[in-house]
Amino acid sequence: MQALTIYLFAALFEISGCFAVWAWWRSGASGWWLVPGGAALAGFAMLLALSPAAFAGRAFAAYGGVYIAASLGWLWVVEGQRPDRFDAGGALVCLIGAALILWGPRG
């Protein structure tokens, strides 16, 4: 459960940081958006480093599934675009893959 909490917060930080760059680059928002965006991306990196996975590559791979699902939540909540059944199905497949990577038996 600790890993999931870390990954959810990391996703929030990464998505908000990337969204700040998107808003500046693609939507014409002020360059000041890059300041909190950069801070959010730094926070994302720090949070991801807290992952309980023994290896960075495994932590990053497992995080990818959570990031995909969280991105669709952002799409819905922040951007007002409801994910469709293909979005939901794809996110489910990714979360199952993330769970296998993070909690699969090693040995």
Side-chain angles (χ1 to χ4, degrees):
M1 206 49 153
Q2 176 190 12
L4 184 58
T5 301
I6 290 169
Y7 286 160
L8 286 173
F9 278 102
L12 178 63
F13 277 64
E14 183 180 13
I15 295 165
S16 62
C18 289
F19 185 78
V21 174
W22 176 280
W24 166 71
W25 186 265
R26 302 275 305 261
S27 299
S30 165
W32 287 106
W33 276 66
L34 297 175
V35 174
L41 289 171
F44 148 72
M46 294 298 295
L47 282 165
L48 199 54
L50 296 175
S51 171
F55 298 95
R58 192 167 285 140
F60 301 160
Y63 165 72
V66 175
Y67 176 81
I68 289 168
S71 295
L72 293 173
W74 181 279
L75 173 72
W76 194 354
V77 172
V78 176
E79 297 184 76
Q81 179 66 43
R82 185 177 179 166
D84 62 26
R85 62 188 172 125
F86 297 104
D87 295 325
L92 180 61
V93 168
C94 293
L95 288 172
I96 291 169
L100 288 172
I101 291 167
L102 191 60
W103 295 306
R106 303 279 188 282

